[in-house]
Amino acid sequence: MNSALTLDFAPLVPWPLLLACGAIALVLTMLGLWRHARGTLLRALVAVLAIGTLANPVARKEERSTLPDIAVVVVDESPSQGIADRQRQVEQAEAVLREKLGAIENLELRVVRAGKPAAETADRDEGTRLFTALTLALSDLPRHRLAGSILVTDGQVHDMPAEIAAAQDVTGAPVHVLLTGRPDERDRRLVVRNAPTFGMVNQDLNVTLRVDDTGAAPNEMAELRFRQQDVGERVLQVPIGRDVTVPFRLSRADRSLLEFEVPPIPGELTPLNNRVALSVNGVRDRLRVLLVTGEVHAGERVWRNLLKADPNVDLVHFTILRPPDKQDGTPIRELSLIAFPIRELFEIKLNEFDLIIFDRYRRRGILPTAYYENIARYVQRGGAFLEVSGPAYATPLSIYRTPVSEVLPGRPNGTMRTEPFTPQLSAIGKRHPVTAGLPGSVGENGQPTWSRWFRVINVDLTRGTPVMESPNREPLLVLDRVEKGRVAQFYSDHIWLWSRGYEGGGPQAELLRRLAHWLMKEPDLEEEALRADAKGGRLEVERRSLTERKEPVTVIRPDGSETRLMLEELGDGIARGRLPVEMPGIYRVRDGERETVATMGAINPREFADPRATPAILKPLADASHGSIGWLREGMPDIRMVEKPTRSAVREQAGRGWIGLYRQNDFVVTGLTLTPLALPLAVLTALLLAMLLMWRRESR
């Protein structure tokens, strides 16, 4: 508490009138002096007394209460501060600052923590937003009380304004930076120069990247490991400091994760940025499907309508209307039939098709044996084949008596049953993604609510997984993997009854959609799969399996630490588990047989793009505010309170071993006393005496 005495005025007339009177008096006085008139000075004295009286001077005495200055300390808690011993440096620096600033009289301390990624903003990869936190802390703080700001950080700040003048307008006081880390840090890191976000399936794509190493020797090479989801790993030798192009192909439609990694080197700052991951969406061109119908039947149009309804399907459909054994004497020139281009389809362009469907096809001498061999090789090399068996499959005309039998799972035993029955899911079918949870698969009595079928061809399974069967356990739908390809086989041709709504119908469209996606190797329809997704501060793991499994999965965090996670069985072959996570980066999940990855936040966070401590980013701000930058490893500086300089006497607010904060000397007025200086009686007496002297002078 202190007081201050100042001179103030409380004019009895408006200031403009008072100034006008003063101007007139000045003009008359100058005129009188120019003409050497008697009594000019006495008249001027009378005018001054009169104007001074009207100005009413008062003595202003204020009782003032001093307000404390405010120092803001911003502590960087970004993930890069966890590297090496930076966290220890931060904790020690904060403790010392609290002690030193707390010991300064009339100084208030505010500590702001910034840089720690929040779960709701992790996906945006905003990096370290230290300046945003400082601006927010100063938003409700009076600028005339700000003593200065001290930033404890590694210098990697990603929200500095482009214009330093704009930053200085926000602070208005010295900004001092205390850097964690060391100025001689070495780090090897991967930098992605160019990468696609999507690409066509089975077409060549490229990723351009570079290995940076601040301490590498000239022409030094690095080992680059390239892992592609569901494909495998490649090892490349690449030069350091030069762009390298890595080609790859997407084998499936959907998101694929590409991982690139270089091994750590001795003395490296952190291995976290030695690995980058890219998410590339595979886009499949129009799906080319070849549908061959062996004979005209009621269910033929079901397949055609289903495939034609999808705009992404390019369908080639042939129906055998006039097989070679049909001879009725009609001249060929009078037939309006399109010739079956067997050589073009099954020899020249066979590998261009994504899916081949044989619907009730039988041996009729149309396809040579070599073309059946082509179909078998097509499947073994990665193709998809769907066979819908009709009555001919149980006869000597069965295509099982061709080389296609190498890829078919069911061997006909020569019999078939033609009694009504309701299809149902097998034990495995209740867990297989193609059939699990099909609408109507479980009714009120536990049985399917689907309509009945009336024919099943009896087979002996040599391999494959039966997912649908009759009540007598006769296979109806069998799925099989043959080397790189996939095969599905229906042992009844009555699924078309579902599409016609017979007895309420059944989920024909949904079943065939899932079946086609499984044949095309869509990831969502994999029967043995492990998936993980990190978002909202949680890692969600899902395992799909045809068998119930009790063992936990292993979660490997971005820093290399591991934890075990138990999954809960939810039915339909799905088990799920959740794990709280905070660290951004790549999480790897393993269950002993499969491995998958998930990314928390950005796949390649800016925070670790270059984690070396640096003064370069914040130095312009420190210089513009007359602050300083120092390394904590060199010791904590002393803190001094200095007077705020004027514009004409700007000086640095830091020196060797010390930093300065402004002493703002702000206050609030708690009491006010006004004492008039022009006493009415005294002024009136003075005026009368002055007028008397003026009259006496002029009367001589």
Side-chain angles (χ1 to χ4, degrees):
M1 184 77 70
N2 54 24
S3 60
L5 185 63
T6 57
L7 178 64
D8 203 354
F9 294 90
L12 302 177
V13 296
W15 275 110
L17 179 60
L18 196 61
L19 293 175
C21 293
I24 294 173
L26 179 62
V27 171
L28 293 177
T29 300
M30 297 301 295
L31 182 61
L33 291 175
W34 178 67
R35 298 185 63 179
H36 302 285
R38 291 183 177 182
T40 299
L41 295 180
L42 288 176
R43 292 175 183 271
L45 177 61
V46 171
V48 169
L49 289 174
I51 293 173
T53 302
L54 294 176
N56 190 24
V58 294
R60 182 187 184 94
K61 183 179 181 181
E62 295 179 347
E63 297 294 333
R64 298 178 176 179
S65 177
T66 305
L67 294 176
D69 299 320
I70 300 176
V72 177
V73 175
V74 182
V75 179
D76 184 358
E77 292 186 332
S78 60
S80 62
Q81 289 287 58
I83 297 175
D85 63 342
R86 294 182 185 179
Q87 187 59 41
R88 179 185 59 82
Q89 289 181 310
V90 170
E91 294 173 354
Q92 292 179 352
E94 182 182 353
V96 173
L97 287 174
R98 286 183 180 274
E99 179 182 353
K100 289 187 175 183
L101 295 174
I104 298 177
E105 185 181 358
N106 206 35
L107 180 67
E108 178 183 334
L109 172 63
R110 294 190 183 182
V111 178
V112 179
R113 303 186 181 279
K116 190 173 183 179
E120 60 271 14
T121 61
D123 294 336
R124 295 203 292 265
D125 188 24
E126 297 177 338
T128 302
R129 303 187 63 79
L130 211 65
F131 190 79
T132 300
L134 176 62
T135 304
L136 184 61
L138 300 181
S139 61
D140 62 342
L141 190 153
R143 291 294 183 273
H144 46 273
R145 293 181 58 191
L146 178 62
S149 305
I150 302 175
L151 311 182
V152 183
T153 176
D154 57 8
Q156 289 292 349
V157 179
H158 303 103
D159 63 342
M160 277 296 298
E163 297 292 336
I164 296 300
Q168 178 60 15
D169 289 342
V170 173
T171 58
V175 177
H176 303 286
V177 181
L178 302 179
L179 290 172
T180 60
R182 307 187 314 273
D184 58 345
E185 293 171 336
R186 180 183 179 182
D187 187 57
R188 174 174 287 184
R189 59 194 180 277
L190 271 175
V191 180
V192 178
R193 305 285 288 173
N194 187 28
T197 56
F198 66 92
M200 301 299 296
V201 174
N202 295 324
Q203 291 191 8
D204 292 333
L205 301 169
N206 294 307
V207 172
T208 303
L209 45 80
R210 186 182 68 236
V211 180
D212 283 341
D213 190 340
T214 54
N219 301 322
E220 184 176 345
M221 303 292 287
E223 182 184 85
L224 175 66
R225 294 183 178 273
F226 170 38
R227 286 186 292 270
Q228 185 175 353
Q229 197 171 4
D230 300 331
V231 174
E233 181 177 277
R234 284 189 283 164
V235 179
L236 309 171
Q237 294 294 326
V238 299
I240 294 177
R242 290 164 51 188
D243 289 353
V244 177
T245 299
V246 180
F248 69 97
R249 281 191 171 196
L250 299 176
S251 60
R252 64 181 187 178
D254 197 13
R255 187 178 76 103
S256 293
L257 199 67
L258 313 179
E259 294 182 77
F260 299 88
E261 184 177 5
V262 292
I265 56 177
E268 185 176 5
L269 183 61
T270 175
L272 292 177
N273 56 2
N274 289 30
R275 182 175 66 229
V276 297
L278 302 174
S279 178
V280 184
N281 288 316
V283 179
R284 191 181 296 278
D285 199 0
R286 290 175 61 87
L287 185 68
R288 291 180 54 82
V289 178
L290 173 61
L291 172 61
V292 180
T293 303
E295 60 186 57
V296 179
H297 65 100
E300 174 187 3
R301 190 166 295 275
V302 171
W303 293 100
R304 180 180 179 85
N305 291 344
L306 173 71
L307 296 169
K308 293 294 288 184
D310 190 341
N312 294 319
V313 172
D314 188 2
L315 177 64
V316 178
H317 182 201
F318 285 94
T319 302
I320 308 301
L321 298 176
R322 188 178 177 84
D325 59 355
K326 184 177 181 180
Q327 301 294 334
D328 57 6
T330 305
I332 296 297
R333 64 179 179 272
E334 296 182 11
L335 295 176
S336 300
L337 299 178
I338 299 174
F340 192 12
I342 56 175
R343 181 175 179 274
E344 183 179 6
L345 293 177
F346 295 100
E347 182 177 348
I348 300 176
K349 295 185 177 182
L350 180 65
N351 293 324
E352 296 181 6
F353 290 102
D354 300 294
L355 173 62
I356 297 176
I357 303 176
F358 273 19
D359 177 27
R360 290 183 62 165
Y361 189 81
R362 67 177 67 184
R363 290 192 307 124
R364 279 179 161 173
I366 297 177
L367 294 182
T369 301
Y371 290 169
Y372 289 111
E373 293 176 352
N374 290 345
I375 295 174
R377 282 195 296 269
Y378 159 82
V379 173
Q380 293 164 350
R381 293 172 180 174
F385 183 62
L386 171 61
E387 202 275 334
V388 183
S389 301
Y393 193 74
T395 71
L397 298 178
S398 171
I399 65 170
Y400 193 83
R401 299 176 181 269
T402 70
V404 175
S405 62
E406 297 179 17
V407 299
L408 294 178
R411 179 177 62 238
N413 58 24
T415 64
M416 62 180 175
R417 187 162 62 88
T418 57
E419 299 174 357
F421 65 92
T422 301
Q424 62 185 23
L425 302 183
S426 65
I428 293 181
K430 294 177 181 178
R431 301 180 65 89
H432 200 288
V434 171
T435 50
L438 276 175
S441 59
V442 180
E444 295 181 357
N445 58 355
Q447 297 299 315
T449 59
W450 305 325
S451 68
R452 294 173 297 168
W453 293 356
F454 296 89
R455 181 162 51 216
V456 57
I457 290 85
N458 295 318
V459 298
D460 298 323
L461 292 182
T462 58
R463 59 176 178 266
T465 303
V467 295
M468 290 185 66
E469 61 187 13
S470 70
N472 295 333
R473 300 294 179 87
E474 299 160 314
L476 291 177
L477 173 60
V478 176
L479 309 179
D480 191 24
R481 297 169 182 258
V482 181
E483 296 185 15
K484 296 182 180 180
R486 300 189 180 187
V487 174
Q489 196 170 16
F490 274 105
Y491 300 112
S492 176
D493 57 346
H494 281 183
I495 191 173
W496 63 272
L497 294 172
W498 284 0
S499 65
R500 298 291 178 87
Y502 174 73
E503 294 183 347
Q508 177 255 0
E510 176 65 13
L511 174 59
L512 298 183
R513 182 191 66 81
R514 294 189 192 181
L515 182 59
H517 287 184
W518 180 84
L519 288 168
M520 297 308 303
K521 304 175 184 178
E522 296 294 336
D524 290 342
L525 274 298
E526 292 296 311
E527 60 268 36
E528 297 289 341
L530 183 66
R531 302 183 183 91
D533 187 22
K535 58 183 179 181
R538 294 183 303 181
L539 176 68
E540 298 186 358
V541 180
E542 178 182 292
R543 178 170 59 197
R544 179 182 283 276
S545 178
L546 297 183
T547 59
E548 186 173 346
R549 304 176 60 181
K550 301 293 186 182
E551 67 272 15
V553 297
T554 301
V555 178
I556 304 174
R557 296 184 177 88
D559 61 357
S561 61
E562 297 184 3
T563 187
R564 309 278 279 179
L565 176 63
M566 291 297 301
L567 305 184
E568 179 185 359
E569 285 284 341
L570 302 179
D572 292 341
I574 297 176
R576 289 197 184 102
R578 295 178 178 176
L579 181 69
V581 293
E582 294 182 356
M583 184 183 303
I586 301 175
Y587 288 80
R588 198 173 299 277
V589 183
R590 297 173 180 165
D591 69 349
E593 299 178 6
R594 283 164 297 278
E595 180 178 307
T596 188
V597 294
T599 56
M600 177 68 179
I603 295 181
N604 305 303
R606 299 171 62 187
E607 186 66 28
F608 292 105
D610 186 359
R612 294 174 297 166
T614 175
I617 299 175
L618 291 172
K619 189 176 188 305
L621 175 60
D623 292 343
S625 64
H626 309 287
S628 64
I629 292 185
W631 295 89
L632 285 172
R633 65 189 301 268
E634 298 175 357
M636 282 290 297
D638 291 332
I639 301 176
R640 304 176 186 176
M641 301 301 296
V642 298
E643 294 298 326
K644 184 176 182 179
T646 62
R647 290 183 178 271
S648 59
V650 175
R651 60 180 182 274
E652 298 298 325
Q653 304 304 314
R656 184 177 180 83
W658 68 275
I659 58 177
L661 302 177
Y662 286 162
R663 179 69 74 185
Q664 296 282 13
N665 298 317
D666 196 22
F667 60 89
V668 293
V669 177
T670 59
L672 178 64
T673 303
L674 299 177
T675 304
L677 299 180
L679 300 178
L681 184 59
V683 172
L684 180 59
T685 302
L687 283 173
L688 290 175
L689 288 175
M691 293 176 66
L692 181 61
L693 289 175
M694 181 181 63
W695 172 77
R696 181 177 176 79
R697 173 69 176 169
E698 292 180 357
S699 64
R700 292 181 180 179

